[in-house]
Amino acid sequence: MSESSVFTAFLTEQAQRAQVLQRQLQQIFDPFGLLATTRKAQQAWANHPFELFDNLHRYAMDGFQLQAALLRRFAGEQDVDLVEPQPDDPRFSDPIWSESPFWDSVKEYYLFQTRWLQNSLYATPGLTEGERRKSAFWLRQFLNALAPNNFLLGNPTALNKAITTQGESLWQGWDHLARDIRAGDIAMTDLSAFTVGENLATTPGAVVYRNELLEVIHYQSNTPTVHQASIVLISPWINKYYILDLTPAKSMVKYLVDQGFSVFVTSWKNPDATMAEVGLDDYLTQGIVPMIQVAKEISGSEQVNLVGYCIGGTLVSLYMAWINRLSPAAVPVSSVTLLTTLTDFSCPGDIEVFIDEDGLDAIDAIMERQGYLDGKDMAASFRMLRSNSLIWQYWQSNYLLGEPSTAFDILYWNMDSTRMPKKMHHTYLRELYWHNRMIAPDGLYLAGQGIDLARITQPIYMVSAEEDHIAPWQQTFTLANRVSAPVRLTLSTSGHIVGIINPPIPQSKRSFRQIALDKNQNIPEAMSQQAPVAGSWWPNWVEWLRGFSGAQIKPKLSSRQHPNLGAAPGTYVLE
C-alpha cells in the first residue's frame, strides 16, 4: 500500500472517530438537538441580513410603542394591555397585575419579549416545520421558566402573603421544597391523603390469575345475574390500572359492575431491571392472551368484550389484527372498545418533540444503563407539555405561597408512576412512534404474525377527547378508515383522563358527540355537524355493549382452575 493510501486511510479513520466522539458529546450535552437547532436558526438569520434588519426594526418600533404606553399608564391613564395574556393563561389573573402600574409594566415587558421571541423563531427562514415545532417547544420551556411570578421578588401575590403572614408562608414553602427534594418530584397533591385499597381502588374483587407480567382482577358482581360475555379491560402500563377504579363516584369498573357486567382488569407488574428483555410480544402473549382465557373459563362464554385505554388500546388493536390472522374463525372477542387510542403515529401530538433520532438515542442510552425507563422521567416529559399548569403552578403554590397541597385523586394516580421495560419501550418508541409501522400492512410483526389493521372485522366503539394533547382525537379516529369493521366514533369533552373518567352525574357540564362511520367519510367535518349530547357517554356505551354481551347467567368470582388468589387490588399495583 502506498504512503498516500495509508495517509488517506488514517484521515478517514480519524474523521470517523471524530464523528463518533461528536455524537457521544451531543448525547451528553444536547440529547434532543436543541443547541444544534438554535445554531441553525442563528445561521439562517445571519444568511438573511435584510430580513433580520426588518425583524429588529419591528421589534424596536413595537418596543417604543410599549414604552410610551407604560409611561402614560404611570401618568394615570387607564390600563390597556398592548400585549394581552392568552385566554387560557392564568399566570396574571391576580387583579394587581392590572391595577398596579408597576406590576402591569412587569407583565407587559415579559409578554412582549416572549411573544416577539416566539414569533421570530417561527419566522426563521430555512427551518423545517419539525425544527420549528421542536425549537418552539424548548424556547417555550425556557420562557415559561423565566416568568416573573416564578420568582419571589417578581410575584406580588407571594410577596403580599409573606408580609401578611410575617414570613410564615416562606417557612412553609421552604418545608415543602425540602419535602419535594427528598421525594425527587414536585408534589401535585397531598400524597398522604390516599392509600390504594383503602380510599382508592376499592371496588370488591379478587386476583384470579397471576404471572410474571400481570395480575388479573375479577370484580365481585352485585346484581343477581350478569351478562355471560365479560368485559375485559386492558389498562395502560404507563400508569397503574386504578385510574379505572378511583373513588366509587368516579369508578368505571364500579359503574360497569352496577350495570350487570362481569368485569376483568389487568394490573400490570411494575418492571425492574430484571425485566429489561420483556418485549411488546410478551405484553400480547403473556398479557392479553391469558387474560382473555381466564375470563372465558370463569364466565363459560366463548367471547368477551375487549376494552383498551391509551397504550392498552394500542395493544388491543395489535392483538385484534394478530388474532384475526391467526384464527379468524375463532376470535374470542365479540366487540372492541378503544379509549383515546393511537394506532397512527404520524401526528402523535405534542409528545413528538421528543421523538427523533437524537431524542430516541438519549432514551435508549438511559434504558441501556438501567434496564428500564423510570416513570418519573416519562411523567416529567408529559408535564413539560403543559409546563405552566403542571410544573410552575405547583412551584408557585408549594414554595412561593407555602400553600398546603390539596387532595385530588387523579393527581395522586398521576404521580404514582410506573417503569417501562427496555425492550418493550424501545420497540414502542422506534417501531410505532418513529417509524409508524403499525399502519402499514404487515409492516410490524408480533409473535410471529404480521399486523394488518384491515383484518379487524369486529364492531368497534371508539372514544376520544376534544382537548387530548397526548392522543389527539383527529389522529385516533384515523383507525376507523383502516379496519374492516363497523365503527361508532364518540368525541367527549375535556382531556385524556377526564374525558374518559366521565361518570354520569346530575347537572354535568360535560357532553359528547357521536357518529356511526360511513367509509371514507370526512370524520372531523362529520363530527362537527353533530349536535352535542349532554352528560356522560358511559350510558350510551353500555347500551351498545349489551348487544354483544349475551344472555344473563348467575355470576361467580372465581373457579377451580382460576381460584381466588387474594383480594383486589392485588399486590402488583402496590409495587
Side-chain angles (χ1 to χ4, degrees):
M1 182 180 294
S2 66
E3 291 184 5
S4 62
S5 298
V6 172
F7 185 65
T8 300
F10 172 78
L11 291 178
T12 302
E13 181 182 355
Q14 295 309 306
Q16 291 172 344
R17 288 183 177 180
Q19 288 178 348
V20 171
L21 178 60
Q22 182 182 7
R23 181 72 170 169
Q24 291 172 341
L25 290 174
Q26 180 177 327
Q27 285 298 307
I28 295 172
F29 296 108
D30 189 24
F32 295 102
L34 174 60
L35 296 179
T37 306
T38 302
R39 286 195 301 270
K40 185 174 181 180
Q42 291 171 341
Q43 186 63 47
W45 281 116
N47 292 336
H48 295 79
F50 294 108
E51 291 88 341
L52 177 60
F53 176 80
D54 287 343
N55 199 34
L56 292 174
H57 181 259
R58 284 194 299 272
Y59 170 76
M61 296 304 296
D62 291 345
F64 178 78
Q65 290 182 4
L66 176 63
Q67 182 65 38
L70 292 176
L71 288 174
R72 293 193 300 270
R73 176 82 169 94
F74 275 98
E77 282 195 9
Q78 285 292 104
D79 175 41
V80 178
D81 288 338
L82 292 185
V83 187
E84 294 184 359
Q86 297 292 340
D88 58 348
D89 185 352
R91 292 176 296 175
F92 303 103
S93 58
D94 190 315
I96 197 171
W97 290 104
S98 298
E99 294 171 354
S100 164
F102 172 77
W103 290 112
D104 183 39
S105 67
V106 171
K107 175 191 69 176
E108 287 286 289
Y109 272 123
Y110 170 75
L111 292 175
F112 170 71
Q113 300 291 349
T114 57
R115 199 72 50 87
W116 182 81
L117 283 169
Q118 293 182 89
N119 290 341
S120 297
L121 178 62
Y122 261 95
T124 302
L127 292 184
T128 67
E129 189 59 32
E131 289 170 334
R132 292 181 201 279
R133 288 196 297 269
K134 179 192 288 189
S135 300
F137 172 81
W138 290 111
L139 177 61
R140 189 163 61 250
Q141 303 311 309
F142 176 71
L143 296 174
N144 287 346
L146 291 180
N149 39 15
N150 292 336
F151 303 90
L152 178 62
L153 295 181
N155 190 317
T157 309
L159 287 172
N160 181 63
K161 186 171 184 181
I163 293 170
T164 57
T165 63
Q166 299 181 333
E168 180 63 26
S169 63
L170 299 182
W171 283 113
Q172 289 294 328
W174 181 259
D175 287 342
H176 294 163
L177 178 61
R179 173 202 66 194
D180 291 351
I181 289 174
R182 289 192 298 270
D185 202 357
I186 298 178
M188 301 171 70
T189 187
D190 181 3
L191 297 177
S192 65
F194 299 101
T195 302
V196 175
E198 293 183 10
N199 56 1
L200 296 175
T202 59
T203 303
V207 175
V208 293
Y209 177 83
R210 179 185 295 118
N211 65 18
E212 294 79 8
L213 192 56
L214 88 161
E215 290 179 333
V216 174
I217 299 174
H218 186 205
Y219 290 92
Q220 179 70 58
S221 301
N222 58 16
T223 53
T225 61
V226 295
H227 287 285
Q228 185 172 24
S230 303
I231 293 177
V232 172
L233 285 165
I234 309 299
S235 61
W237 55 91
I238 286 177
N239 294 97
K240 295 183 178 180
Y241 86 89
Y242 64 87
I243 187 62
L244 300 168
D245 185 31
L246 282 168
T247 61
K250 295 179 182 177
S251 173
M252 177 182 285
V253 166
K254 183 179 184 304
Y255 179 79
L256 292 171
V257 169
D258 289 345
Q259 302 303 309
F261 290 97
S262 176
V263 180
F264 294 80
V265 170
T266 53
S267 179
W268 300 101
K269 186 171 180 62
N270 195 1
D272 55 23
T274 64
M275 297 177 65
E277 295 306 314
V278 171
L280 193 56
D281 292 50
D282 298 304
Y283 277 81
L284 191 152
T285 59
Q286 301 302 314
I288 194 168
V289 169
M291 182 171 183
I292 289 175
Q293 288 299 115
V294 170
K296 286 172 55 182
E297 191 277 329
I298 292 177
S299 69
S301 174
E302 288 302 312
Q303 291 188 312
V304 302
N305 293 295
L306 191 57
V307 182
Y309 183 13
C310 187
I311 191 175
T314 304
L315 182 65
V316 164
S317 303
L318 291 168
Y319 168 80
M320 294 306 300
W322 178 81
I323 195 66
N324 271 285
R325 176 167 180 167
L326 187 68
S327 179
V331 175
V333 177
S334 58
S335 77
V336 177
T337 300
L338 300 175
L339 310 175
T340 61
T341 294
L342 279 172
T343 54
D344 178 356
F345 294 81
S346 58
C347 297
D350 294 346
I351 196 68
E352 69 178 336
V353 297
F354 299 106
I355 308 298
D356 59 16
E357 283 291 352
D358 292 328
L360 293 177
D361 285 348
I363 294 171
D364 281 345
I366 294 171
M367 293 193 296
E368 194 64 40
R369 291 194 302 269
Q370 299 179 160
Y372 57 84
L373 183 67
D374 194 285
K376 289 185 178 180
D377 294 332
M378 182 172 295
S381 300
F382 282 111
R383 289 172 73 169
M384 287 175 70
L385 301 180
R386 295 291 184 271
S387 60
N388 280 334
S389 58
L390 297 179
I391 297 177
W392 299 115
Q393 172 185 322
Y394 296 101
W395 174 276
Q396 294 168 31
S397 63
N398 288 356
Y399 313 142
L400 302 186
L401 296 170
E403 295 176 344
S405 299
T406 56
F408 189 22
D409 46 20
I410 291 179
L411 290 180
Y412 178 89
W413 165 84
N414 190 62
M415 295 192 69
D416 191 8
S417 58
T418 60
R419 297 176 288 271
M420 300 290 107
K422 178 190 73 174
K423 183 178 180 181
M424 183 284 301
H425 207 52
H426 174 89
T427 300
Y428 183 67
L429 293 178
R430 292 275 180 178
E431 302 304 313
L432 274 63
Y433 264 99
W434 183 235
H435 295 298
N436 200 20
R437 299 197 193 282
M438 193 169 169
I439 63 171
D442 296 335
L444 180 70
Y445 275 73
L446 285 181
Q449 300 295 328
I451 299 301
D452 186 351
L453 298 172
R455 294 191 179 96
I456 302 176
T457 60
Q458 291 72 27
I460 300 175
Y461 190 107
M462 292 191 70
V463 186
S464 290
E466 290 179 349
E467 301 170 26
D468 193 337
H469 64 282
I470 296 172
W473 69 268
Q474 298 92 336
Q475 199 66 21
T476 62
F477 285 166
T478 61
L479 176 66
N481 285 318
R482 290 193 171 93
V483 297
S484 304
V487 182
R488 184 179 295 192
L489 300 176
T490 302
L491 183 61
S492 174
T493 52
S494 200
H496 190 73
I497 302 300
V498 179
I500 300 303
I501 307 309
N502 183 11
I505 55 176
Q507 299 177 335
S508 172
K509 295 181 180 179
R510 298 172 190 163
S511 62
F512 67 94
R513 289 176 284 164
Q514 190 174 78
I515 59 173
L517 184 70
D518 294 327
K519 287 298 178 185
N520 300 316
Q521 192 174 11
N522 184 313
I523 295 173
E525 180 181 330
M527 192 65 75
S528 68
Q529 295 171 355
Q530 302 303 307
V533 178
S536 169
W537 55 269
W538 287 10
N540 178 275
W541 176 44
V542 162
E543 290 309 306
W544 183 86
L545 282 171
R546 293 193 194 281
F548 306 99
S549 300
Q552 296 286 315
I553 61 171
K554 289 185 177 181
K556 60 178 180 177
L557 182 63
S558 57
S559 68
R560 181 173 299 178
Q561 185 175 347
H562 295 104
N564 185 333
L565 302 178
T571 59
Y572 284 179
V573 73
L574 304 178
E575 296 177 342

Short mmCIF file of all heavy atoms in Angstrom, two decimals, residues 366-398:
data_model
loop_
_atom_site.label_atom_id
_atom_site.label_comp_id
_atom_site.label_asym_id
_atom_site.label_seq_id
_atom_site.Cartn_x
_atom_site.Cartn_y
_atom_site.Cartn_z
N ILE A 366 -30.42 5.81 28.35
CA ILE A 366 -30.91 5.71 29.73
C ILE A 366 -31.37 4.30 30.03
O ILE A 366 -31.03 3.71 31.07
CB ILE A 366 -32.05 6.72 29.97
CG1 ILE A 366 -31.53 8.16 29.87
CG2 ILE A 366 -32.70 6.48 31.33
CD1 ILE A 366 -32.63 9.20 29.89
N MET A 367 -32.16 3.73 29.12
CA MET A 367 -32.70 2.39 29.36
C MET A 367 -31.60 1.33 29.33
O MET A 367 -31.70 0.32 30.03
CB MET A 367 -33.79 2.08 28.33
CG MET A 367 -35.04 2.94 28.46
SD MET A 367 -36.47 2.35 27.52
CE MET A 367 -35.87 2.49 25.84
N GLU A 368 -30.57 1.54 28.54
CA GLU A 368 -29.47 0.58 28.48
C GLU A 368 -28.74 0.52 29.82
O GLU A 368 -28.34 -0.56 30.28
CB GLU A 368 -28.50 0.97 27.36
CG GLU A 368 -27.52 -0.12 26.98
CD GLU A 368 -28.21 -1.35 26.41
OE1 GLU A 368 -29.17 -1.21 25.63
OE2 GLU A 368 -27.79 -2.48 26.78
N ARG A 369 -28.60 1.67 30.46
CA ARG A 369 -27.93 1.70 31.77
C ARG A 369 -28.79 1.09 32.86
O ARG A 369 -28.29 0.39 33.74
CB ARG A 369 -27.59 3.15 32.15
CG ARG A 369 -26.51 3.81 31.31
CD ARG A 369 -26.01 5.09 31.96
NE ARG A 369 -27.08 6.05 32.19
CZ ARG A 369 -27.44 6.99 31.32
NH1 ARG A 369 -26.82 7.07 30.14
NH2 ARG A 369 -28.41 7.85 31.60
N GLN A 370 -30.10 1.36 32.82
CA GLN A 370 -30.98 0.97 33.92
C GLN A 370 -31.72 -0.34 33.67
O GLN A 370 -32.12 -1.02 34.62
CB GLN A 370 -32.02 2.08 34.17
CG GLN A 370 -31.42 3.41 34.57
CD GLN A 370 -32.46 4.49 34.79
OE1 GLN A 370 -32.21 5.49 35.43
NE2 GLN A 370 -33.65 4.32 34.22
N GLY A 371 -31.96 -0.65 32.38
CA GLY A 371 -32.80 -1.79 32.05
C GLY A 371 -34.27 -1.42 31.95
O GLY A 371 -35.11 -2.25 31.62
N TYR A 372 -34.59 -0.15 32.19
CA TYR A 372 -35.97 0.33 32.13
C TYR A 372 -35.93 1.85 32.02
O TYR A 372 -34.87 2.48 32.19
CB TYR A 372 -36.76 -0.08 33.37
CG TYR A 372 -36.14 0.39 34.67
CD1 TYR A 372 -36.38 1.67 35.17
CD2 TYR A 372 -35.31 -0.46 35.41
CE1 TYR A 372 -35.80 2.10 36.35
CE2 TYR A 372 -34.72 -0.03 36.60
CZ TYR A 372 -34.97 1.26 37.06
OH TYR A 372 -34.41 1.70 38.22
N LEU A 373 -37.09 2.43 31.72
CA LEU A 373 -37.25 3.88 31.79
C LEU A 373 -38.09 4.18 33.01
O LEU A 373 -39.22 3.69 33.15
CB LEU A 373 -37.93 4.42 30.53
CG LEU A 373 -38.08 5.95 30.48
CD1 LEU A 373 -36.71 6.62 30.36
CD2 LEU A 373 -38.96 6.37 29.31
N ASP A 374 -37.55 4.98 33.90
CA ASP A 374 -38.26 5.30 35.14
C ASP A 374 -39.50 6.12 34.83
O ASP A 374 -39.48 7.01 33.98
CB ASP A 374 -37.34 6.08 36.08
CG ASP A 374 -37.90 6.14 37.49
OD1 ASP A 374 -38.86 6.90 37.72
OD2 ASP A 374 -37.38 5.42 38.36
N GLY A 375 -40.57 5.81 35.55
CA GLY A 375 -41.83 6.52 35.33
C GLY A 375 -41.74 8.00 35.59
O GLY A 375 -42.44 8.80 34.96
N LYS A 376 -40.85 8.42 36.50
CA LYS A 376 -40.71 9.85 36.78
C LYS A 376 -40.13 10.58 35.58
O LYS A 376 -40.46 11.74 35.33
CB LYS A 376 -39.83 10.05 38.01
CG LYS A 376 -40.52 9.66 39.32
CD LYS A 376 -39.66 10.00 40.51
CE LYS A 376 -40.39 9.64 41.82
NZ LYS A 376 -39.56 9.97 43.01
N ASP A 377 -39.24 9.90 34.81
CA ASP A 377 -38.70 10.53 33.61
C ASP A 377 -39.80 10.75 32.58
O ASP A 377 -39.87 11.81 31.95
CB ASP A 377 -37.60 9.64 33.00
CG ASP A 377 -36.39 9.53 33.90
OD1 ASP A 377 -36.15 10.46 34.68
OD2 ASP A 377 -35.69 8.50 33.84
N MET A 378 -40.64 9.74 32.42
CA MET A 378 -41.74 9.87 31.46
C MET A 378 -42.75 10.91 31.93
O MET A 378 -43.24 11.73 31.14
CB MET A 378 -42.42 8.52 31.25
CG MET A 378 -43.53 8.56 30.23
SD MET A 378 -44.14 6.91 29.86
CE MET A 378 -42.70 6.19 29.12
N ALA A 379 -43.05 10.89 33.23
CA ALA A 379 -44.01 11.86 33.76
C ALA A 379 -43.50 13.28 33.57
O ALA A 379 -44.26 14.19 33.25
CB ALA A 379 -44.26 11.58 35.24
N ALA A 380 -42.18 13.47 33.76
CA ALA A 380 -41.61 14.81 33.57
C ALA A 380 -41.78 15.27 32.14
O ALA A 380 -42.05 16.45 31.88
CB ALA A 380 -40.13 14.79 33.96
N SER A 381 -41.62 14.35 31.19
CA SER A 381 -41.81 14.72 29.78
C SER A 381 -43.23 15.17 29.51
O SER A 381 -43.46 16.20 28.85
CB SER A 381 -41.46 13.52 28.88
OG SER A 381 -40.12 13.11 29.07
N PHE A 382 -44.20 14.43 30.02
CA PHE A 382 -45.60 14.81 29.80
C PHE A 382 -45.94 16.10 30.52
O PHE A 382 -46.73 16.91 30.02
CB PHE A 382 -46.53 13.68 30.26
CG PHE A 382 -46.61 12.54 29.29
CD1 PHE A 382 -46.08 11.30 29.60
CD2 PHE A 382 -47.23 12.69 28.06
CE1 PHE A 382 -46.15 10.25 28.70
CE2 PHE A 382 -47.30 11.66 27.15
CZ PHE A 382 -46.76 10.43 27.47
N ARG A 383 -45.35 16.35 31.69
CA ARG A 383 -45.63 17.58 32.41
C ARG A 383 -45.06 18.78 31.67
O ARG A 383 -45.62 19.88 31.72
CB ARG A 383 -45.09 17.50 33.83
CG ARG A 383 -45.90 16.54 34.71
CD ARG A 383 -45.27 16.31 36.06
NE ARG A 383 -45.41 17.46 36.95
CZ ARG A 383 -45.13 17.41 38.24
NH1 ARG A 383 -44.70 16.29 38.79
NH2 ARG A 383 -45.27 18.49 38.99
N MET A 384 -43.94 18.58 30.97
CA MET A 384 -43.35 19.68 30.21
C MET A 384 -44.25 20.11 29.06
O MET A 384 -44.18 21.25 28.60
CB MET A 384 -41.98 19.27 29.67
CG MET A 384 -40.91 19.19 30.74
SD MET A 384 -39.35 18.58 30.10
CE MET A 384 -38.85 19.97 29.09
N LEU A 385 -45.11 19.21 28.58
CA LEU A 385 -46.02 19.57 27.50
C LEU A 385 -47.00 20.65 27.94
O LEU A 385 -47.52 21.39 27.11
CB LEU A 385 -46.78 18.34 27.01
CG LEU A 385 -45.93 17.18 26.48
CD1 LEU A 385 -46.81 16.03 26.05
CD2 LEU A 385 -45.03 17.63 25.35
N ARG A 386 -47.27 20.71 29.24
CA ARG A 386 -48.14 21.74 29.81
C ARG A 386 -47.45 22.30 31.05
O ARG A 386 -47.95 22.23 32.16
CB ARG A 386 -49.51 21.13 30.17
CG ARG A 386 -50.33 20.64 29.00
CD ARG A 386 -50.82 21.78 28.13
NE ARG A 386 -51.68 21.35 27.05
CZ ARG A 386 -51.26 20.98 25.84
NH1 ARG A 386 -49.97 21.00 25.57
NH2 ARG A 386 -52.10 20.61 24.91
N SER A 387 -46.27 22.89 30.84
CA SER A 387 -45.41 23.23 31.97
C SER A 387 -46.02 24.29 32.89
O SER A 387 -45.81 24.24 34.11
CB SER A 387 -44.03 23.68 31.48
OG SER A 387 -44.14 24.83 30.65
N ASN A 388 -46.75 25.25 32.36
CA ASN A 388 -47.32 26.28 33.23
C ASN A 388 -48.31 25.70 34.22
O ASN A 388 -48.30 26.05 35.41
CB ASN A 388 -47.99 27.37 32.40
CG ASN A 388 -46.98 28.37 31.84
OD1 ASN A 388 -45.91 28.56 32.40
ND2 ASN A 388 -47.31 28.98 30.72
N SER A 389 -49.18 24.80 33.74
CA SER A 389 -50.22 24.26 34.62
C SER A 389 -49.75 23.04 35.40
O SER A 389 -50.29 22.76 36.48
CB SER A 389 -51.46 23.89 33.80
OG SER A 389 -51.14 22.95 32.79
N LEU A 390 -48.73 22.32 34.91
CA LEU A 390 -48.32 21.07 35.56
C LEU A 390 -46.98 21.17 36.28
O LEU A 390 -46.61 20.25 37.00
CB LEU A 390 -48.26 19.93 34.53
CG LEU A 390 -49.59 19.58 33.87
CD1 LEU A 390 -49.40 18.46 32.85
CD2 LEU A 390 -50.64 19.17 34.91
N ILE A 391 -46.26 22.26 36.10
CA ILE A 391 -45.00 22.44 36.82
C ILE A 391 -45.00 23.76 37.59
O ILE A 391 -44.98 23.78 38.82
CB ILE A 391 -43.79 22.40 35.86
CG1 ILE A 391 -43.68 21.03 35.18
CG2 ILE A 391 -42.50 22.70 36.65
CD1 ILE A 391 -42.57 20.94 34.16
N TRP A 392 -45.06 24.87 36.86
CA TRP A 392 -44.86 26.16 37.50
C TRP A 392 -46.02 26.57 38.40
O TRP A 392 -45.81 27.29 39.39
CB TRP A 392 -44.58 27.22 36.44
CG TRP A 392 -43.35 26.90 35.67
CD1 TRP A 392 -43.25 26.59 34.35
CD2 TRP A 392 -42.02 26.78 36.19
NE1 TRP A 392 -41.96 26.30 34.00
CE2 TRP A 392 -41.18 26.41 35.12
CE3 TRP A 392 -41.45 26.96 37.46
CZ2 TRP A 392 -39.81 26.21 35.28
CZ3 TRP A 392 -40.10 26.76 37.62
CH2 TRP A 392 -39.29 26.40 36.54
N GLN A 393 -47.20 26.12 38.12
CA GLN A 393 -48.32 26.39 39.03
C GLN A 393 -48.04 25.80 40.41
O GLN A 393 -48.30 26.44 41.45
CB GLN A 393 -49.61 25.79 38.46
CG GLN A 393 -50.79 25.85 39.42
CD GLN A 393 -52.01 25.14 38.85
OE1 GLN A 393 -52.29 25.21 37.67
NE2 GLN A 393 -52.73 24.43 39.70
N TYR A 394 -47.50 24.57 40.43
CA TYR A 394 -47.21 23.92 41.72
C TYR A 394 -45.94 24.49 42.35
O TYR A 394 -45.82 24.53 43.58
CB TYR A 394 -47.10 22.41 41.51
CG TYR A 394 -48.41 21.83 41.05
CD1 TYR A 394 -48.64 21.52 39.72
CD2 TYR A 394 -49.46 21.63 41.95
CE1 TYR A 394 -49.85 21.02 39.29
CE2 TYR A 394 -50.67 21.13 41.54
CZ TYR A 394 -50.87 20.82 40.20
OH TYR A 394 -52.09 20.33 39.78
N TRP A 395 -44.99 24.92 41.53
CA TRP A 395 -43.82 25.61 42.04
C TRP A 395 -44.25 26.84 42.85
O TRP A 395 -43.77 27.08 43.96
CB TRP A 395 -42.92 26.01 40.87
CG TRP A 395 -41.74 26.86 41.21
CD1 TRP A 395 -41.72 28.22 41.35
CD2 TRP A 395 -40.40 26.42 41.47
NE1 TRP A 395 -40.46 28.66 41.67
CE2 TRP A 395 -39.63 27.58 41.75
CE3 TRP A 395 -39.79 25.17 41.48
CZ2 TRP A 395 -38.27 27.50 42.04
CZ3 TRP A 395 -38.43 25.10 41.77
CH2 TRP A 395 -37.69 26.25 42.05
N GLN A 396 -45.14 27.63 42.29
CA GLN A 396 -45.59 28.85 42.96
C GLN A 396 -46.39 28.54 44.22
O GLN A 396 -46.15 29.12 45.29
CB GLN A 396 -46.41 29.70 41.99
CG GLN A 396 -45.62 30.25 40.82
CD GLN A 396 -46.51 30.83 39.74
OE1 GLN A 396 -47.59 31.35 40.03
NE2 GLN A 396 -46.08 30.74 38.49
N SER A 397 -47.36 27.64 44.10
CA SER A 397 -48.23 27.37 45.25
C SER A 397 -47.48 26.65 46.37
O SER A 397 -47.67 26.96 47.55
CB SER A 397 -49.44 26.55 44.82
OG SER A 397 -49.04 25.28 44.32
N ASN A 398 -46.59 25.71 46.01
CA ASN A 398 -45.88 24.95 47.04
C ASN A 398 -44.81 25.77 47.75
O ASN A 398 -44.70 25.72 48.98
CB ASN A 398 -45.21 23.72 46.43
CG ASN A 398 -46.20 22.64 46.03
OD1 ASN A 398 -47.39 22.76 46.27
ND2 ASN A 398 -45.71 21.59 45.41
#
